[in-house]
Amino acid sequence: MNNDVTGTGHSPINSVTQKVHYVRDGYHKINADGTDAGEIIWNEWKLADGQTAEFPEYSVDQITGYDAYINGAKATQVDAAKVAETNGTPQNGQNITVTYKKQNSTP
């Protein structure tokens, strides 16, 4: 079984979606008489090979004459963020919104 968790950055110029891929396997529970009990036992979610439990930082597009704001705060990059887990299940990251304000104006 596979699970991709995402974090999305929205910008008027370019949207960025980052994915972290998790996998897990399971098995059918078998009764003592060898028949299928009709239940699947799932193992814990784990990171797929080559994955890290983090949405990496990235620089937002810059527009000459404008300042970039990330979720309302003036900034030029989105910081890295760890993938959160709830009861062993990885969760989607937060959505990030990038806006631009003309320089020398009141934000």
Side-chain angles (χ1 to χ4, degrees):
M1 178 174 270
N2 297 295
N3 184 13
D4 288 320
V5 292
T6 60
T8 303
H10 298 285
S11 164
I13 297 174
N14 186 27
S15 288
V16 174
T17 299
Q18 298 177 323
K19 291 184 180 182
V20 179
H21 187 67
Y22 285 79
V23 296
R24 71 176 178 178
D25 56 4
Y27 56 91
H28 284 271
K29 184 174 181 180
I30 304 298
N31 294 321
D33 64 3
T35 58
D36 189 336
E39 181 181 353
I40 298 175
I41 307 298
W42 292 104
N43 291 317
E44 297 285 322
W45 286 108
K46 63 181 180 176
L47 286 165
D49 290 342
Q51 297 286 295
T52 59
E54 181 177 87
F55 299 109
E57 71 179 21
Y58 65 94
S59 296
V60 298
D61 294 320
Q62 298 300 302
I63 303 171
T64 302
Y66 289 80
D67 292 319
Y69 288 79
I70 299 170
N71 289 345
K74 186 176 176 182
T76 59
Q77 75 176 26
V78 175
D79 293 331
K82 296 282 185 195
V83 173
E85 291 188 13
T86 301
N87 298 324
T89 301
Q91 304 296 305
N92 286 332
Q94 75 177 76
N95 287 334
I96 305 293
T97 300
V98 179
T99 56
Y100 296 89
K101 296 190 190 312
K102 189 165 180 59
Q103 291 174 342
N104 300 322
S105 66
T106 304

